[in-house]
Amino acid sequence: MKSYQKLTTPQPAGWQVEEEGAAPIPPARGRMAPWWVGSGLLVAAVLLSTITVWVLRQVSGGWLGPTPPPKCLLVPESHRFDCYPERRVVVTQELCESRGCCFIQSPSPAEGKQGVPWCFYPPDFPSYTLESLNQTALGMVGLLVRREKAYYPRDIQMLRLDVEFETDTRLHIKITDAANPRYEVPLDVPRATKRAENPIYSLNFSWDPFGVLLRRTATGTVLLNTTVAPLIFADQFLQISTSLPSRFLYGLGEHRGSLLHSLDWNTLTLWARDVSPTESFNLYGAHPFYLLMEEGGDAHGVFLLNSNAMEVALQPAPGLTWRTIGGVLDFYIFLGPSPNMVIQQYQQVIGFPAMPPLWALGFHLCRWGYGSSNGTWQTVRAMRNYQIPQDAQWNDIDYMDRYRDFTFDSQKFASLPSLVEDLHKHGQHYVIILDPGISSTNPHGSYWPFDEGLRRGLFLNTTQGQPLIGQVWPGFTAFADFSNPDTHQWWLENLQHFHAHVPFDGLWIDMNEPSNFMDGSEEGCPPGELDSPPYTPAVLGDSLSSKTVCASAKQKASVHYNLHNLYGLMEAKATASALIQIRGKRPFVISRSTFPSQGRYSGHWLGDNRSQWKDMYYSIPGLLSFSLFGIPLVGADICGFSGSTSEELCTRWMQLGAFYPFARNHNTQNEKAQDPTVFSPAARTAMKDVLLTRYSLLPFLYTLFHHAHLQGDTVARPLFFEFPQDVATLGLDRQFLWGGSLLVTPVLEPGVDSVTGYVPQGMWYDFYTGYSVNSSGEMLKMSAPLEHLNLHVREGSILPTQKPGTTSEATRGNPLRLIVALSLSATAWGDLFWDDGESLDTFERGSYFYLVFNVTQNIFTSTVLHASTEATNVTIGTLSIFGVQKPPSKVLLNGQEKPFSYLDNQVLTVSDLGISLSKGFSLQWL
């Protein structure tokens, strides 16, 4: 008899500690290791549960059916792992017991227990046995054997276990078919060359049933315990469960909801889908990665490298179940121990994000429904007239001729080339939308993109080998197969042809889940286990082909069943490569569908949101989640895409959106305009002011992106990243930080002139005035009239800012102002990365400036750690020092006395410095 281990047992029976270099010793066969032993509270809960069930049966006159076996009653509700997860099925006792599982019908849903599975695994459900385990140069290799078949077809009896101790903070565990090759995600991942010497984790195994127990060595915290439920590995159903050491779990995108996931019987589905962001739906991208905060402030992360349709079931044990319908179980575990280090370690596997061009960090403006190039141009001129910052103008699909890629409407958008030329003359940029659906109904020879794609065989095909035809904006369409390298060349050639007429600067790739207005294709989908698999995860529409193409569609690299979630990533890769070849500069790509590693090629916007207050709130957990996913260039449609905004909502949203890493105001057709120029003078001024604030912070923001590109730091950051031991920060998602230094507290509700936000322990300074707030770690009410966004600078930091212009190019030439926020011990630190803002690989080629700023003992120093010719014309004009306790008698710049001002709020300002950025200097106050 086998058993599944209790989550909190320090040393579960049936386990042998794995010493470095030794294989685990198998426990005695046939001995039941009761996982419920060892916790009085759990035993009490089980007894109470048993008594409750018995009482309910007596009261109900037996409607709950016969009394379950004792082994079933011993499983507490929170620990019941679902044996019958199929949706749209009423699970009966007969169905459940046919799988060899326990059936206990929950009491009335009115008691709020409808999430508890009625059908769950008994403690002795058959699983795999670890038959052998041998040492390798990097770790271990083992053989897993299942002697009793599970209940899904083509159960795989023998599995290979590969364990690699890749680094001291990264563990790689892979389980696959021991006899036959299976589909694996074609993602470039680093290959370890030697075994970790001093891992901060210990790994143990249970032999029968097979299980993994992973601990953090320093604390003994159990991070993974996979013996809580059986491992199932069939051809189209792979499932593994684990305990969790806490309830503080984040990630697992793309979904709309709070940043902190609920573990109250919550299932998250990962299958790329075109749908307006809605709670509980699977959305545009798939990110099978979670970050979990442990008690005490440590963090770890788990990444399942698998691109098939998937769901992750969370339950209050706390526990988690991965369920996927293809591929292999390929896990990376990251040990941190800080949350920021977990995300860095994750990106060491999937790749660090690309460094964006500086103009990508300016303000972007778009709408569907400008109607013409002249209408677009009119908005651009109005923005200039009011001197409102803007770096990029976009057009949605209405610029195209009949919604066909690589065309523009020669009537309504006749002046488009002139508009783009005008944007470039003013230091601005132009971005167009592209969809992957290629119009298939044009007369032969009249539309080169389709004709040539067909000739070269570059589209998704049906099982019969013909192009799969769906329907998108231009009508019937074929879908480009970006898993084929030849498609990348065709994509480049199309973009080159169009760029010769309309010299765009960036590309917005939409509809790339891929989206389809019909289910599957014009002919539906063929019968078979790709389109109708034995198990379908809880996808919107209950079918893999719902509003996308058939899972059976053939692609160069595999079937769409395996590649669907990679479609946006593969298109982004082709698009970024094409832009580099066309422009010779850093590419700017914004994609709707995403997958791990996409930050290397594109940013992301959060999709077709609505002009509602709750949508504005949900954008914050959205952008913070994508920070965890290694895609820092992210934002939502400011003021909302669909529906009509209000002046108050749009003003507040412009204030929040000015602090999205990617800031774009975008609007749908047939709604009133919502760009800043159309509102009242008061609202327009508030929007302009907050954009000027963003532009003043571009040097700081750009430096944050440099650190993201270099080592995987986050840009927009949850508060708990900086204060992991402060439990009050673990659920906060109505505020966020830029880096570790700037706290953003937006207004997210109507009709108020104040906002309550959490201020972590320490000294914080008002960004605008320098007034200090010494917080004990508390909720504080802040004044927030309509024209004001609350920003606070953390003690001990130095922010490089700049006098703002109306474009990033104009801002670049202006003098810098360094804002110094002294700690209580009168120290501070900051840095600045500076290059030409657009050339490729400036850091890698050494074409950049890097400066470090430091304050100690009343002396500010600027030290140039790396120099090039890029910053010789830029000057530091002003130094503002917050928190100077006493009025100085004099200030010395490089030993020479300098005029200064000192205010009652303890702000020391030294102006007219005129120091070249390329020169180190010191400034002392006495």
Side-chain angles (χ1 to χ4, degrees):
M1 183 179 287
K2 306 173 180 65
S3 68
Y4 298 100
Q5 309 297 328
K6 176 184 163 289
L7 308 180
T8 53
T9 303
Q11 184 62 40
W15 293 84
Q16 182 69 33
V17 175
E18 156 76 11
E19 300 292 344
E20 187 87 32
I25 302 169
R29 292 290 195 267
R31 177 167 58 86
M32 188 169 186
W35 51 253
W36 57 88
V37 174
S39 169
L41 284 175
L42 189 58
V43 170
V46 170
L47 288 172
L48 183 61
S49 176
T50 305
I51 293 167
T52 302
V53 170
W54 182 85
V55 169
L56 282 168
R57 288 175 191 282
Q58 305 310 308
V59 171
S60 67
W63 65 268
L64 290 178
T67 302
K71 66 179 181 180
C72 298
L73 292 172
L74 283 169
V75 182
E77 282 190 352
S78 63
H79 292 57
R80 294 177 183 172
F81 286 83
D82 198 346
C83 176
Y84 217 109
E86 281 80 354
R87 302 299 172 105
R88 313 295 181 216
V89 175
V90 176
V91 182
T92 64
Q93 183 167 351
E94 183 181 10
L95 284 173
C96 179
E97 292 179 352
S98 70
R99 292 186 171 185
C101 289
C102 294
F103 183 83
I104 298 180
Q105 190 170 338
S106 291
S108 167
E111 297 186 22
K113 297 187 177 182
Q114 60 267 37
V116 180
W118 293 7
C119 183
F120 57 94
Y121 295 105
D124 58 352
F125 191 93
S127 186
Y128 286 87
T129 301
L130 179 57
E131 290 290 318
S132 65
L133 190 67
N134 298 302
Q135 297 291 322
T136 66
L138 297 177
M140 289 168 276
V141 61
L143 179 67
L144 308 180
V145 175
R146 174 180 275 282
R147 291 187 168 80
E148 296 183 50
K149 282 186 142 321
Y151 45 84
Y152 284 106
R154 296 183 301 283
D155 207 15
I156 296 171
Q157 304 297 296
M158 298 176 62
L159 301 176
R160 177 187 170 110
L161 168 70
D162 286 286
V163 178
E164 294 187 353
F165 301 97
E166 294 195 341
T167 73
D168 290 345
T169 57
R170 186 173 84 224
L171 175 66
H172 187 188
I173 299 175
K174 183 176 174 181
I175 302 173
T176 188
D177 189 335
N180 300 296
R182 291 180 61 80
Y183 165 77
E184 297 187 29
V185 182
L187 191 69
D188 293 328
V189 292
R191 299 296 176 190
T193 56
K194 66 174 184 176
R195 182 178 179 138
E197 295 179 356
N198 299 294
I200 65 171
Y201 49 86
S202 64
L203 181 65
N204 307 323
F205 293 98
S206 168
W207 287 70
D208 186 9
F210 165 72
V212 172
L213 185 83
L214 178 68
R215 295 180 188 271
R216 183 180 298 281
T217 306
T219 61
T221 302
V222 176
L223 308 183
L224 296 178
N225 176 357
T226 69
T227 66
V228 293
L231 167 66
I232 296 179
F233 200 121
D235 183 34
Q236 290 182 274
F237 186 90
L238 292 72
Q239 177 176 277
I240 191 168
S241 301
T242 181
S243 64
L244 299 172
S246 87
R247 297 178 63 90
F248 297 103
L249 183 139
Y250 313 84
L252 298 174
E254 181 177 6
H255 298 93
R256 164 179 282 205
S258 57
L259 179 64
L260 175 64
H261 286 301
S262 166
L263 269 59
D264 190 17
W265 306 108
N266 181 20
T267 297
L268 302 169
T269 306
L270 282 64
W271 182 249
R273 166 68 192 241
D274 172 7
V275 62
S276 294
T278 305
E279 299 88 320
S280 81
F281 289 176
N282 49 295
L283 301 182
Y284 310 106
H287 293 271
F289 166 82
Y290 71 77
L291 171 77
L292 189 137
M293 293 299 295
E294 304 156 30
E295 287 186 23
D298 287 338
H300 70 274
V302 176
F303 171 43
L304 173 55
L305 180 51
N306 181 294
S307 62
N308 289 90
M310 181 188 309
E311 60 191 18
V312 184
L314 308 175
Q315 63 191 76
L320 176 151
T321 298
W322 298 93
R323 241 176 248 130
T324 182
I325 61 171
V328 301
L329 296 176
D330 192 0
F331 289 102
Y332 289 86
I333 301 99
F334 311 100
L335 274 289
S338 74
N340 205 58
M341 291 172 72
V342 170
I343 302 307
Q344 290 176 332
Q345 292 155 12
Y346 176 41
Q347 290 173 92
Q348 286 167 6
V349 170
I350 64 172
F352 296 125
M355 184 68 186
L358 178 62
W359 65 266
L361 307 184
F363 179 59
H364 300 248
L365 192 55
C366 184
R367 79 163 300 174
W368 180 16
Y370 283 121
S372 67
S373 48
N374 287 341
T376 310
W377 208 337
Q378 186 176 348
T379 300
V380 172
R381 288 178 177 133
M383 291 284 287
R384 291 180 193 153
N385 182 52
Y386 289 115
Q387 296 184 297
I388 300 172
Q390 182 188 1
D391 258 80
Q393 180 60 51
W394 299 37
N395 276 124
D396 207 320
I397 57 174
D398 48 336
Y399 81 86
M400 299 179 184
D401 177 14
R402 290 170 285 165
Y403 299 142
R404 299 178 304 164
D405 279 355
F406 315 114
T407 69
F408 69 96
D409 188 325
S410 60
Q411 303 298 315
K412 295 177 181 176
F413 282 79
S415 60
L416 187 56
S418 300
L419 165 60
V420 176
E421 182 182 4
D422 178 67
L423 288 168
H424 291 164
K425 284 180 180 176
H426 286 84
Q428 294 172 303
H429 297 81
Y430 183 63
V431 180
I432 57 169
I433 192 171
L434 281 178
D435 294 338
I438 303 298
S439 175
S440 61
T441 56
N442 307 276
H444 181 70
S446 67
Y447 185 52
W448 192 85
F450 177 76
D451 292 340
E452 191 63 15
L454 186 64
R455 188 183 72 80
R456 301 187 197 178
L458 304 179
F459 298 123
L460 270 66
N461 283 335
T462 66
T463 55
Q464 303 303 309
Q466 298 301 312
L468 183 147
I469 302 300
Q471 186 174 5
V472 200
W473 295 114
F476 289 115
T477 55
F479 297 87
D481 177 11
F482 291 102
S483 77
N484 185 343
D486 295 340
T487 305
H488 294 216
Q489 177 63 30
W490 164 84
W491 194 244
L492 167 64
E493 291 169 20
N494 279 293
L495 288 168
Q496 285 173 326
H497 295 156
F498 191 65
H499 191 268
H501 300 285
V502 181
F504 53 84
D505 303 290
L507 290 167
W508 169 23
I509 50 176
D510 191 12
M511 308 290 286
N512 55 352
E513 292 74 31
S515 176
N516 185 359
F517 294 167
M518 48 180 57
D519 293 345
S521 76
E522 61 177 342
E523 298 174 349
C525 296
E529 291 195 329
L530 292 179
D531 293 298
S532 302
Y535 180 81
T536 300
V539 297
L540 179 62
D542 300 317
S543 166
L544 297 184
S545 63
S546 179
K547 296 297 179 276
T548 189
V549 299
C550 298
S552 58
K554 294 181 178 180
Q555 297 188 236
K556 178 76 171 181
S558 185
V559 288
H560 193 72
Y561 182 90
N562 293 326
L563 301 180
H564 174 83
N565 282 338
L566 300 175
Y567 194 90
L569 168 64
M570 291 176 167
E571 185 189 15
K573 189 173 182 178
T575 304
S577 173
L579 276 171
I580 290 171
Q581 293 180 70
I582 291 168
R583 299 182 71 245
K585 299 175 182 178
R586 279 177 230 163
F588 173 72
V589 182
I590 294 293
S591 175
R592 193 167 72 180
S593 190
T594 57
F595 190 79
S597 81
Q598 191 135 347
R600 298 169 59 187
Y601 312 107
S602 84
H604 172 64
W605 96 104
L606 296 172
D608 294 339
N609 61 4
R610 304 166 188 86
S611 297
Q612 297 176 4
W613 289 91
K614 75 168 186 175
D615 288 66
M616 178 165 60
Y617 153 66
Y618 277 128
S619 71
I620 299 177
L623 72 93
L624 294 177
S625 291
F626 274 87
S627 291
L628 308 188
F629 300 149
I631 305 178
L633 188 63
V634 59
D637 284 347
I638 297 170
C639 300
F641 172 69
S642 65
S644 259
T645 193
S646 68
E647 181 163 291
E648 181 190 12
L649 173 60
C650 199
T651 303
R652 293 301 195 189
W653 209 329
M654 283 290 293
Q655 290 168 344
L656 168 59
F659 286 84
Y660 293 156
F662 164 59
R664 180 186 70 161
N665 180 317
H666 179 43
N667 191 9
T668 190
Q669 62 179 352
N670 303 320
E671 297 287 354
K672 60 186 181 184
Q674 61 186 36
D675 64 85
T677 70
V678 303
F679 293 102
S680 71
R684 185 172 65 239
T685 300
M687 295 178 186
K688 175 181 176 180
D689 287 349
V690 77
L691 287 176
L692 288 170
T693 299
R694 178 190 179 90
Y695 274 65
S696 75
L697 283 159
L698 284 179
F700 174 55
L701 181 61
Y702 194 65
T703 301
L704 292 178
F705 269 95
H706 166 67
H707 290 302
H709 170 63
L710 192 62
Q711 61 193 30
D713 283 353
T714 52
V715 176
R717 189 171 300 176
L719 273 71
F720 74 81
F721 268 51
E722 292 296 315
F723 304 93
Q725 294 180 320
D726 183 351
V727 294
T729 65
L730 295 179
L732 296 180
D733 59 9
R734 300 175 71 88
Q735 299 166 272
F736 58 96
L737 293 158
W738 267 12
S741 306
L742 188 64
L743 176 62
V744 183
T745 306
V747 172
L748 300 172
E749 53 192 29
V752 299
D753 59 6
S754 65
V755 62
T756 300
Y758 186 75
V759 181
Q761 184 174 4
M763 186 74 77
W764 296 81
Y765 298 90
D766 183 282
F767 170 79
Y768 310 98
T769 66
Y771 278 98
S772 62
V773 177
N774 194 358
S775 174
S776 60
E778 56 199 310
M779 299 294 292
L780 294 178
K781 186 176 181 179
M782 310 171 197
S783 176
L786 189 59
E787 69 277 4
H788 184 68
L789 171 70
N790 278 279
L791 299 173
H792 290 88
V793 186
R794 186 180 180 184
E795 65 168 306
S797 57
I798 299 174
L799 304 188
T801 73
Q802 200 164 20
K803 180 182 177 182
T806 54
T807 64
S808 60
E809 182 180 288
T811 302
R812 275 179 61 81
N814 291 338
L816 288 163
R817 175 192 175 211
L818 304 179
I819 297 176
V820 180
L822 293 179
S823 68
L824 290 173
S825 57
T827 60
W829 186 93
D831 64 343
L832 173 65
F833 176 82
W834 189 280
D835 62 11
D836 69 6
E838 63 178 10
S839 293
L840 294 163
D841 303 324
T842 55
F843 177 79
E844 292 76 5
R845 291 186 291 104
S847 300
Y848 66 95
F849 263 85
Y850 183 66
L851 295 84
V852 167
F853 311 117
N854 190 61
V855 173
T856 185
Q857 297 181 334
N858 291 2
I859 300 174
F860 173 97
T861 57
S862 173
T863 306
V864 179
L865 295 186
H866 188 277
S868 71
T869 60
E870 300 299 338
T872 50
N873 298 324
V874 182
T875 61
I876 297 174
T878 304
L879 201 59
S880 295
I881 306 169
F882 298 168
V884 178
Q885 298 292 320
K886 299 177 182 178
S889 59
K890 60 181 175 180
V891 169
L892 302 177
L893 174 63
N894 292 331
Q896 302 295 313
E897 200 162 335
K898 191 76 178 169
F900 66 91
S901 69
Y902 180 83
L903 301 178
D904 292 342
N905 61 350
Q906 302 183 334
V907 175
L908 169 65
T909 302
V910 187
S911 303
D912 301 320
L913 293 174
I915 302 170
S916 172
L917 196 61
S918 60
K919 307 291 185 185
F921 71 94
S922 66
L923 186 140
Q924 183 178 17
W925 57 98
L926 304 169

